[in-house]
Amino acid sequence: MIIDGLPGGGAEKVVLTLSKGLIERGHRVTLFSLRTICEYSIPEGVDYQVVADRCKKPWRKLTELDRRAALLDEAVEAAEASEGPFDLVLSHLHKTDRIVSRCKQLPPEKTWFCIHGVFSASYLARRKGFSRWFKKLKTRSVYRHRNLVGVSQYVIDDLKEVFHVRPDKARVICNPFDIEAIQQLSREPCSLEGKDYLIHVGRFHQTKRHDRLLRAYAKSALTVPLVLIGQGSSEATAALKRLSEALNIADRVIFKGFTCNPYPWIRHARALIVSSDSEGFGNVLVEALICGTPIVSTRCPGGPASIMTGDLAMGLAEMNEESLAATMRAVYQHPPALENLDLTVYSIEAVCQQYLDLITPD
């Protein structure tokens, strides 16, 4: 496993969950982190190594990718000399992929680039002209003729269609979830247990579109509280609080902040809402279903539509506040039945096996 640090985030959590699952199934896992930042506990048994760039020279940005690739090559070579060659290499997140693509110690046939997000939304949304063209060119150079794993079919299609990437191989493998652990954590105390409320879980980032969420909530005519679990910059938080005041809903919007265990809050909510412009997969939607909570999401580019099939599709809204408001109200008043939902496709066992199937015999 290779990733550019372990700050709090969805892709980082996926890497650790997958590592834990592989360790429990008798495999050895080395996790190379390209920065010292780590806000998670490392699963027991994982060989965690930090390969940090210490260069302070004025021209460090110009030589960064090749320099960091060389450092990673040294770490991989030392690990393989000690424990034997790796059978599978998984690179996570675009900054990591740019470095890994330059490594000489990682055989392309064993290396897979894991695509966690919708690249056109993340990297092209505010670019025009030459900047947009150049970003597409640089992205294509990283992934062309490489092995790709997408967390949804959409993220693979986005790379192919928008960036004209032609991968060597491409697979879709959804994110893994420790279903029993999430259910157990969801049983911990929650101060709103027994009360009706809606919930949104996600960092205060433009892509999550909290502004759309607040406007839709105001238009929904629902009077139950809306709990926001997540955090962002002081400016982003202040802007959302000002918007809630302008919409006359400030007395019903609860800014909970970050919590290391959001699952009790999710479990006792009447519905979980996602209002994003894009979601590579949509981890929190599956987590809500594991907790037995109905879900509502914009039909945004990415994974939500692939998660919300069958009766769950009633929770899909168009990407505007009017549709989101109507869908929130409909799911609140007539929630879908979740008792017989089969979530085993998201289990660690199922997902780990799909990753192990990527290993090609020597």
Side-chain angles (χ1 to χ4, degrees):
M1 301 287 180
I2 310 172
I3 192 167
D4 184 43
L6 292 167
E12 293 83 357
K13 185 187 291 186
V14 166
V15 169
L16 295 174
T17 301
L18 188 57
S19 298
K20 179 175 180 286
L22 291 169
I23 289 285
E24 290 174 345
R25 278 147 194 82
H27 301 277
R28 289 186 290 112
V29 176
T30 296
L31 172 55
F32 294 105
S33 176
L34 305 186
R35 288 188 294 160
T36 56
I37 183 171
C38 181
E39 297 182 2
Y40 290 103
S41 297
I42 304 300
E44 185 177 353
V46 172
D47 175 27
Y48 174 62
Q49 299 188 30
V50 176
V51 187
D53 180 22
R54 310 292 183 184
C55 182
K56 302 294 183 182
K57 296 178 180 178
W59 56 83
R60 62 186 179 276
K61 277 292 183 183
L62 296 175
T63 60
E64 179 185 14
L65 295 180
D66 284 334
R67 183 178 65 253
R68 297 182 73 183
L71 289 171
L72 181 56
D73 273 335
E74 290 178 7
V76 170
E77 186 174 14
E80 291 192 320
S82 172
E83 300 289 348
F86 292 111
D87 298 306
L88 183 65
V89 179
L90 301 175
S91 177
H92 299 268
L93 300 179
H94 184 52
K95 181 62 177 286
T96 313
D97 298 342
R98 293 169 64 197
I99 294 168
V100 168
S101 68
R102 295 172 180 243
C103 287
K104 298 178 174 61
Q105 197 66 28
L106 300 174
E109 66 274 11
K110 290 184 178 181
T111 303
W112 291 76
F113 295 86
C114 301
I115 312 302
H116 292 270
V118 180
F119 273 32
S120 60
S122 300
Y123 300 116
L124 300 182
R126 294 170 182 81
R127 295 179 184 266
K128 296 180 180 179
F130 176 78
S131 173
R132 183 181 178 89
W133 173 84
F134 191 53
K135 185 62 178 180
K136 290 171 71 172
L137 180 67
K138 289 199 299 181
T139 302
R140 185 162 61 248
S141 69
V142 172
Y143 299 108
R144 63 185 173 190
H145 308 310
R146 293 289 196 159
N147 298 329
L148 306 182
V149 172
V151 295
S152 66
Q153 185 63 51
Y154 193 101
V155 302
I156 295 290
D157 292 343
D158 181 66
L159 270 178
K160 289 180 177 180
E161 295 168 9
V162 179
F163 295 85
H164 308 294
V165 169
R166 294 293 172 263
D168 185 35
K169 298 176 184 176
R171 302 286 186 273
V172 175
I173 304 178
C174 67
N175 288 337
F177 296 84
D178 191 334
I179 294 175
E180 289 185 7
I182 290 173
Q183 290 175 337
Q184 182 175 347
L185 287 168
S186 76
R187 298 186 186 101
E188 292 188 1
C190 171
S191 61
L192 289 184
E193 182 176 350
K195 299 179 181 178
D196 282 355
Y197 61 94
L198 305 173
I199 193 168
H200 179 281
V201 179
R203 69 192 189 281
F204 294 167
H205 186 275
Q206 175 60 28
T207 305
K208 300 296 184 183
R209 291 301 303 271
H210 287 79
D211 61 319
R212 176 187 290 144
L213 173 67
L214 293 177
R215 294 181 191 280
Y217 173 63
K219 289 187 175 184
S220 71
L222 294 172
T223 58
V224 297
L226 171 64
V227 177
L228 304 182
I229 290 184
Q231 61 189 3
S233 67
S234 56
E235 293 82 2
T237 304
L240 292 175
K241 288 184 177 179
R242 287 195 300 270
L243 179 58
S244 65
E245 291 170 359
L247 295 170
N248 294 318
I249 56 174
D251 60 329
R252 292 181 280 136
V253 178
I254 300 172
F255 287 81
K256 173 65 179 170
F258 175 79
T259 175
C260 59
N261 180 16
Y263 302 122
W265 294 82
I266 294 174
R267 180 186 178 196
H268 294 290
R270 283 289 296 268
L272 176 134
I273 319 297
V274 168
S275 49
S276 305
D277 277 341
S278 70
E279 288 283 345
F281 182 68
N283 287 348
V284 73
L285 294 172
V286 175
E287 290 170 337
L289 295 177
I290 292 171
C291 293
T293 300
I295 53 178
V296 173
S297 174
T298 48
R299 194 187 297 271
C300 60
S306 64
I307 295 170
M308 300 173 69
T309 58
D311 291 344
L312 298 177
M314 69 173 289
L316 285 170
E318 301 310 314
M319 293 174 61
N320 60 71
E321 57 204 51
E322 291 80 11
S323 178
L324 184 57
T327 308
M328 289 166 62
R329 187 168 56 250
V331 171
Y332 177 83
Q333 294 173 344
H334 305 287
L338 304 179
E339 292 79 10
N340 299 318
L341 207 57
D342 184 5
L343 300 174
T344 54
V345 66
Y346 304 115
S347 68
I348 293 180
E349 293 80 5
V351 175
C352 279
Q353 188 56 55
Q354 291 180 72
Y355 274 100
L356 291 172
D357 289 343
L358 300 178
I359 297 175
T360 54
D362 293 331

